[in-house]
Amino acid sequence: MSNHIAIFIDAENLTSWVKNGGVETLMEELRSLGQVVVRKAYGKWSTTQLAPLQSVLNENGFELIHTFHPVSGKNSTDIKMTVDTMEVAIESQAQWIVLATGDSDFSPLFRKLREQGKDVIGVGPKSPLSECVKNSCSRYIYTDNADEENADETERNNMLVSEKIDFIDILQSILQEEDGSIHLSALKSKMLERDNAFSEKRLGFKTFKDFVNATDFAEIKDDGNGTLVVSLVKKKVNVQEDAQMTLAKILKKKGWDVFPKATLRKIFKLVCDKTAQKSKSKQALVQEITSKNMIGTTSGIINRVLGIFYKAKLVKINGTEEEKLWKIEKNNKYWYEIDKAMLDRLAAGLKDAGFKAKESEIKALLYGRYTTDDEVHSLLSAYRGVIE
């Protein structure tokens, strides 16, 4: 018998996601799980912000629940969603409960639903808060980052390239732990066990099989009974990937992560502000920046971005050996320092790999805005040995 699914959407917190095709993408994602029997979307539908969303939600069969906010600062949508969700969980046959809630902390509700034997899918932007929420879910689906609308193509790609590399590492780790081959479907289940936000479609692949085939270490074969199995191989040939991904992998092997410029800029400013009067430990900085719940980040990403600043020699260390204290001062040349540190590692990685990169491909990785060709040539002059 097909699983029954109930979907609840907080349209006020996910306005941009609904407007930009998020509902259609979600419905497609859920198609393989079963039949959607409850569809509810919540918000104050009389506002100019939400009124335009009614059409797309109606077309997808959602009941629009109007919520009032009689007291400023009190979100009646959260309360109404919680009450309706628990009612459906108790009185209906729905096995899967989908809560698209934005950045609201519904962890207690998620945990209660799972105690009742329900499978819970959370939907929301990638953020430190969502990383806490997703641990209470069976699965988590990231919405598009609202910043992507104003980002150029390179910036949009950077938003996913580091995430893609992390999931490739997880895939390789799973295959290394297997004694022989593993069924393709079982492999995906293990991927979701490691990180329940894994989605091959979010990473740009039509199917999980396409994701596995895009690696140079995994091989898919038919076991002779019509079942696809995956095994680890030394190295495949003819794996096609874009230059950005190739260079990002080389950088990863040298301990460097590729992140969006906007993420680095925001975190750099926060660190400068927070250490302006008093130096702080790296752990304290991670905790304080995490508390800002910056969309597109997690505590892990924040920690790795701070590592980039350290490798770019932007950090001044003082304090004791037991507690090293960090200080970063505002510096108009910080993009140049970050680019130079990145290029040092990229050059070493290219040399190890025994091949060169095109100058245009390397330029695409640079964070700084260099106003003349002379500035770029000056920056790249030390790396001519690995540039075609």
Side-chain angles (χ1 to χ4, degrees):
M1 184 176 69
S2 175
N3 286 320
H4 285 178
I5 306 168
I7 307 174
F8 303 87
I9 295 178
D10 181 349
E12 290 182 339
N13 275 331
L14 294 176
T15 302
S16 178
W17 174 74
V18 175
K19 184 174 67 176
N20 291 292
V23 174
E24 294 89 338
T25 301
L26 176 63
M27 300 301 289
E28 181 63 30
E29 185 86 12
L30 299 174
R31 190 183 303 278
S32 62
L33 286 181
Q35 179 185 3
V36 179
V37 295
V38 176
R39 310 180 193 200
K40 296 178 182 288
Y42 299 77
K44 191 175 181 181
W45 299 107
S46 57
T47 64
T48 56
Q49 182 185 25
L50 293 187
L53 306 182
Q54 296 183 46
S55 177
V56 65
L57 287 163
N58 272 317
E59 289 172 4
N60 283 278
F62 279 81
E63 178 186 358
L64 305 184
I65 310 298
H66 188 68
T67 55
F68 297 91
H69 305 307
V71 179
S72 178
K74 298 296 183 182
N75 192 347
S76 57
T77 296
D78 290 0
I79 299 172
K80 178 61 174 169
M81 278 186 65
T82 300
V83 171
D84 286 359
T85 300
M86 289 305 300
E87 184 178 79
V88 167
I90 293 170
E91 299 181 359
S92 80
Q93 298 298 314
Q95 176 59 34
W96 288 86
I97 307 294
V98 182
L99 291 165
T101 60
D103 60 358
S104 299
D105 189 356
F106 279 77
S107 294
L109 176 58
F110 291 163
R111 287 195 292 269
K112 179 57 69 175
L113 290 168
R114 295 195 72 179
E115 285 175 10
Q116 294 181 344
K118 304 297 184 182
D119 291 297
V120 185
I121 297 179
V123 182
K126 189 171 189 175
S127 70
L129 182 55
S130 71
E131 291 303 290
C132 298
V133 173
K134 75 182 238 189
N135 291 329
S136 301
C137 301
S138 309
R139 286 180 58 187
Y140 199 89
I141 297 173
Y142 290 130
T143 60
D144 291 336
N145 188 338
D147 292 336
E148 288 188 28
E149 293 181 35
N150 301 317
D152 61 23
E153 184 177 354
T154 300
E155 192 77 345
R156 283 193 295 270
N157 289 339
N158 281 347
M159 289 177 182
L160 290 178
V161 67
S162 183
E163 188 176 323
K164 188 184 294 186
I165 290 174
D166 287 343
F167 280 122
I168 288 173
D169 286 346
I170 290 175
L171 177 68
Q172 187 169 25
S173 174
I174 293 171
L175 290 176
Q176 287 172 339
E177 294 169 4
E178 289 295 317
D179 183 16
S181 60
I182 178 175
H183 287 183
L184 184 65
S185 58
L187 179 58
K188 182 169 183 179
S189 296
K190 284 183 176 287
M191 291 287 295
L192 288 167
E193 286 174 9
R194 296 287 183 92
D195 191 325
N196 63 13
F198 170 73
S199 169
E200 66 274 5
K201 291 181 175 62
R202 172 179 167 81
L203 301 178
F205 299 95
K206 289 184 178 181
T207 66
F208 180 64
K209 180 181 177 182
D210 291 337
F211 168 71
V212 175
N213 270 329
T215 70
D216 61 1
F217 56 79
E219 184 177 54
I220 301 177
K221 289 184 177 180
D222 190 311
D223 67 353
N225 297 311
T227 300
L228 295 179
V229 295
V230 187
S231 58
L232 200 64
V233 294
K234 288 186 177 180
K235 190 173 180 64
K236 291 193 304 187
V237 295
N238 298 324
V239 173
Q240 299 295 317
E241 60 186 15
D242 59 36
Q244 183 188 33
M245 190 65 184
T246 299
L247 297 182
K249 284 183 177 179
I250 290 173
L251 284 167
K252 182 72 173 180
K253 289 180 180 179
K254 291 298 179 180
W256 188 277
D257 294 289
V258 175
F259 289 119
K261 183 175 181 177
T263 300
L264 269 64
R265 184 194 297 114
K266 291 174 184 176
I267 295 177
F268 183 82
K269 184 179 184 303
L270 280 171
V271 176
C272 289
D273 292 343
K274 290 184 177 299
T275 61
Q277 302 299 324
K278 182 181 179 182
S279 299
K280 298 185 177 182
S281 68
K282 184 181 180 183
Q283 182 180 6
L285 285 171
V286 171
Q287 291 175 344
E288 290 187 30
I289 297 172
T290 298
S291 69
K292 297 291 183 181
N293 196 37
M294 188 187 303
I295 300 300
T297 71
T298 63
S299 59
I301 288 175
I302 292 166
N303 186 67
R304 288 152 71 182
V305 168
L306 292 181
I308 287 176
F309 298 156
Y310 181 82
K311 292 166 187 173
K313 300 181 180 178
L314 296 168
V315 181
K316 293 183 178 179
I317 302 289
N318 51 54
T320 65
E321 188 64 31
E322 291 74 22
E323 185 179 30
K324 295 181 179 179
L325 302 178
W326 283 38
K327 185 179 182 65
I328 297 183
E329 297 178 349
K330 290 183 178 179
N331 176 0
N332 292 332
K333 293 185 64 178
Y334 73 96
W335 288 127
Y336 174 86
E337 299 298 338
I338 290 173
D339 282 340
K340 190 175 184 307
M342 177 180 65
L343 289 171
D344 285 343
R345 286 157 179 79
L346 180 60
L350 287 169
K351 186 176 180 181
D352 290 347
F355 64 88
K356 298 182 178 182
K358 295 179 180 178
E359 183 171 322
S360 60
E361 296 167 352
I362 294 180
K363 283 181 180 179
L365 289 176
L366 300 179
Y367 290 105
R369 290 186 177 179
Y370 303 102
T371 55
T372 68
D373 287 339
D374 288 342
E375 287 180 323
V376 177
H377 288 313
S378 176
L379 179 64
L380 298 181
S381 61
Y383 310 99
R384 291 298 170 194
V386 294
I387 298 176
E388 289 183 340

